[in-house]
Amino acid sequence: MTISPDPSAIDEADGSVTTADGPVVMVDVYAPTMRLAEAFIAAGRPVVRVQSTPEVPPVYRASFRADIFLDNIVHEGDLKQTAKAVSAHVPAAVLTGGELGVELADQLSELLGLATNGTAHSAARRDKFRQMETVKQAGIPGSRQILAESAGQLADFHRELGGRVVVKPIRSAGNDGVHFCETPEDSAAAYRAIAQAVNIFSFRNEGVVAQEFLHGTEYVVNTVSCRGGHRATDVWKYTKISVNGVSNRISGALSVAPGEPARAALVAYAFDVLDALEVRHGPAHLEIMLTPDGPRLVEAGIRLCGADTAYYARLATGESQVERTVDAYLNPTDFLHRLGAPHRTEHHVAMAFLTSPVSGTLKSYPLLGLVEELESFHNAQTFVRPGEQLPLTVDDTTEPMMIGLAHPDRAVLERDFATVCYLDGHGFYELEPAGAAS
């Protein structure tokens, strides 16, 4: 395993970060990463938004806003034309605002001679099959996998591998289109479902990857990089349940404090993955399974973590990807000098992602008051309100509510998190009677 470079040894010649006074350009800023755009603006830098698709993807339309941006440039497919429009603003930096914009941000930053991760491994930062192959080619342990070209080929792979197999689109985000398959027949059915579907961004899936199922505990390592130096800003441990016909639904994330046994190995492995993918600048979100054989990559997103995690990271440790990313691009010298600063724990934090076992018109959350009385209760983010349609929770996009917990005592946090998990169920959701007027 490698460690993040000493700041004095970092090569400043590679697409060096500029401190020019120009605006910051962000590709595909939507609600999940609006905090980062707002942070650049608060630091005195206007933000120019580039939209990589002619239309806003349906998943973001309800929350889309462009009023805070200096300009909104829509990429119509002509890279030189878009680069010309961006260049007219004399930008200080170009970076992605989300998963969809990773490759265009790489192209623009490289073409304009700004701080860049380059395009040599750009596809591997989005394509899950290429990503894993790139990691393994760098000598980093990774999963056995296949880029399936047919349902039959995938079924044969499953028979040869044995056990459970994970089947998913080669692109997309979150847990969109992910299937945990017990039999070769399940894998074949998953292939057909994915190959015929459009993903969360409303693009038809380009391919299907199947990987061995990793046994262990899944963690998240969120990082920010500058000139090849990496800082792990926050680490989380996932909890999972199998419910509503979905296996391994992520039900929560608990902060992993500095000094906890698993953290050092996870962070070192994450830095190795970043180096393999040639990530030298900006934020990244890595999902890593800690298996009996050591850390193994689930997948990496070379962009800010979603789910408002940065807010809860700051609550836990006093820092997050948001302000560290601003520093990496606007104050790189300061960022590098603080690269190895000790991590601290201000609170132990948990995010509980509630899972509705029912669907219909929501009348109320009758047990929410009990949650709000918990000693570590911090806040509740409500995504489905009374009077609105409550879907059965099967993925991140159908989540009804997120509960935030924070407390200086780890035992109190874990007790209250377990209590939230106990309360979340059929009694937590009151529906309007069938046929009642909405």
Side-chain angles (χ1 to χ4, degrees), residues 133-146:
E133 291 303 302
T134 301
V135 165
K136 292 192 294 185
Q137 287 166 10
I140 302 167
S143 301
R144 290 171 289 179
Q145 63 171 2
I146 185 174

Side-chain angles (χ1 to χ4, degrees), residues 74-142:
V74 178
H75 177 59
E76 301 286 352
D78 187 328
L79 179 61
K80 290 185 178 179
Q81 187 65 31
T82 300
K84 181 178 180 181
V86 169
S87 181
H89 289 284
V90 194
V94 176
L95 67 154
T96 187
E99 183 74 19
L100 194 58
V102 167
E103 288 157 304
L104 182 57
D106 288 345
Q107 292 173 322
L108 290 171
S109 57
E110 184 177 73
L111 191 59
L112 296 177
L114 298 170
T116 185
N117 291 323
T119 56
H121 282 312
S122 194
R125 300 180 196 124
R126 287 283 330 272
D127 181 313
K128 295 175 175 61
F129 179 80
R130 291 192 189 187
Q131 185 174 100
M132 189 66 71
E133 291 303 302
T134 301
V135 165
K136 292 192 294 185
Q137 287 166 10
I140 302 167

Side-chain angles (χ1 to χ4, degrees), residues 159-198:
R159 289 188 191 94
E160 181 179 349
L161 188 65
R164 181 183 290 177
V165 168
V166 183
V167 183
K168 55 190 175 181
I170 61 171
R171 293 172 183 254
S172 194
N175 56 6
D176 177 44
V178 178
H179 297 255
F180 295 90
C181 301
E182 303 291 343
T183 68
E185 292 72 25
D186 292 342
S187 288
Y191 174 90
R192 288 188 285 267
I194 294 170
Q196 296 169 6
V198 295

Side-chain angles (χ1 to χ4, degrees), residues 85-351:
V86 169
S87 181
H89 289 284
V90 194
V94 176
L95 67 154
T96 187
E99 183 74 19
L100 194 58
V102 167
E103 288 157 304
L104 182 57
D106 288 345
Q107 292 173 322
L108 290 171
S109 57
E110 184 177 73
L111 191 59
L112 296 177
L114 298 170
T116 185
N117 291 323
T119 56
H121 282 312
S122 194
R125 300 180 196 124
R126 287 283 330 272
D127 181 313
K128 295 175 175 61
F129 179 80
R130 291 192 189 187
Q131 185 174 100
M132 189 66 71
E133 291 303 302
T134 301
V135 165
K136 292 192 294 185
Q137 287 166 10
I140 302 167
S143 301
R144 290 171 289 179
Q145 63 171 2
I146 185 174
L147 182 61
E149 297 181 357
S150 70
Q153 182 193 29
L154 181 45
D156 290 341
F157 170 79
H158 192 152
R159 289 188 191 94
E160 181 179 349
L161 188 65
R164 181 183 290 177
V165 168
V166 183
V167 183
K168 55 190 175 181
I170 61 171
R171 293 172 183 254
S172 194
N175 56 6
D176 177 44
V178 178
H179 297 255
F180 295 90
C181 301
E182 303 291 343
T183 68
E185 292 72 25
D186 292 342
S187 288
Y191 174 90
R192 288 188 285 267
I194 294 170
Q196 296 169 6
V198 295
N199 63 28
I200 194 173
F201 301 125
S202 299
F203 290 101
R204 184 164 294 283
N205 287 322
E206 299 174 22
V208 179
V209 60
Q211 298 171 336
E212 64 177 309
F213 179 80
L214 297 172
H215 294 275
T217 301
E218 188 171 355
Y219 291 82
V220 165
V221 179
N222 290 321
T223 65
V224 178
S225 303
C226 178
R227 296 175 181 165
H230 311 305
R231 170 80 174 181
T233 56
D234 49 302
V235 181
W236 303 86
K237 181 173 72 173
Y238 279 152
T239 62
K240 299 181 181 181
I241 56 176
S242 292
V243 67
N244 298 339
V246 177
S247 179
N248 291 284
R249 149 88 179 150
I250 297 171
S251 59
L254 284 75
S255 59
V256 178
E260 290 193 33
R263 181 168 172 138
L266 291 164
V267 169
Y269 181 89
F271 289 175
D272 283 347
V273 170
L274 294 175
D275 290 341
L277 297 175
E278 297 186 358
V279 176
R280 299 185 60 80
H281 300 281
H285 166 73
L286 299 99
E287 296 177 342
I288 300 169
M289 191 73 73
L290 187 56
T291 76
D293 297 320
R296 296 290 185 271
L297 181 66
V298 176
E299 59 186 57
I302 311 307
R303 38 74 179 171
L304 193 74
C305 183
D308 212 15
T309 302
Y311 171 83
Y312 297 97
R314 196 156 48 246
L315 188 64
T317 67
E319 69 173 301
S320 78
Q321 286 181 300
V322 169
E323 64 274 4
R324 287 291 187 177
T325 299
V326 171
D327 284 346
Y329 282 96
L330 303 187
N331 304 295
T333 301
D334 289 347
F335 178 94
L336 293 172
H337 282 163
R338 291 185 291 149
L339 197 63
H343 290 84
R344 64 184 192 271
T345 301
E346 296 190 353
H347 293 89
H348 298 282
V349 175
M351 295 176 281

Side-chain angles (χ1 to χ4, degrees), residues 389-401:
Q389 186 67 24
L390 175 71
L392 190 73
T393 304
V394 294
D395 57 25
D396 296 344
T397 66
T398 52
E399 186 177 295
M401 181 181 291

